[in-house]
Amino acid sequence: QSATSMPEDWNPRVFLFAPHGGSMSNLRFNPTRPSWLHTTAYDGASLTMDLEAGGTFTPWFTREAKDAAVTTGFDISADGQLLFHSDTAGILRCTDLRMGKLTFERQLHESKIGGCSVNCSGQLLA
């Protein structure tokens, strides 16, 4: 909403966290768990922050030490269970939060995939 349409008594709460050692590349709130914020960063970390648990951060994807690629694209399925992420090495991955593991990984390009997006029905991925 624009600042002019906010109620007069609206008083937003502001929090400051620094879970990453580098700039963040993506932020997405989970559509079915609104207190969960999924993040990726140039330090290679992919984390979920749970605001209801006092701002705790849990990794949802961990890179191999030999993998220097950075997550460049990220989207989440409408049911909030699948996290799609692409990187600078041309790989597209899918992490399933129900199983807590990577379920799909394909080399789709020779170099950087700048972004990925899943449609609201979950049937298409661009």
Side-chain angles (χ1 to χ4, degrees):
Q1 292 185 359
S2 70
T4 58
S5 64
M6 293 294 180
E8 287 183 32
D9 62 347
W10 186 66
N11 188 18
R13 294 175 22 188
V14 177
F15 301 93
L16 178 62
F17 297 97
H20 293 284
S23 299
M24 297 174 82
S25 52
N26 295 282
L27 299 164
R28 298 281 188 283
F29 277 102
N30 190 299
T32 59
R33 295 184 175 159
S35 68
W36 286 13
L37 177 65
H38 304 288
T39 67
T40 63
Y42 292 111
D43 64 2
S46 300
L47 306 173
T48 297
M49 177 177 69
D50 185 351
L51 292 166
E52 287 181 353
T56 59
F57 292 86
T58 307
W60 56 264
F61 174 69
T62 305
R63 297 196 165 285
E64 297 293 325
K66 64 182 173 39
D67 186 4
V70 173
T71 300
T72 51
F74 171 66
D75 205 359
I76 186 166
S77 62
D79 67 3
Q81 299 299 324
L82 302 175
L83 305 179
F84 297 92
H85 39 115
S86 59
D87 67 22
T88 55
I91 298 173
L92 176 70
R93 295 179 176 92
C94 179
T95 299
D96 190 324
L97 293 177
R98 294 167 291 201
M99 294 187 280
K101 68 178 190 174
L102 192 66
T103 58
F104 175 86
E105 181 176 53
R106 294 287 188 280
Q107 181 82 41
L108 298 180
H109 200 274
E110 293 175 11
S111 60
K112 178 182 177 181
I113 299 175
C116 61
S117 179
V118 63
N119 76 333
C120 58
S121 72
Q123 301 298 314
L124 299 171
L125 180 69

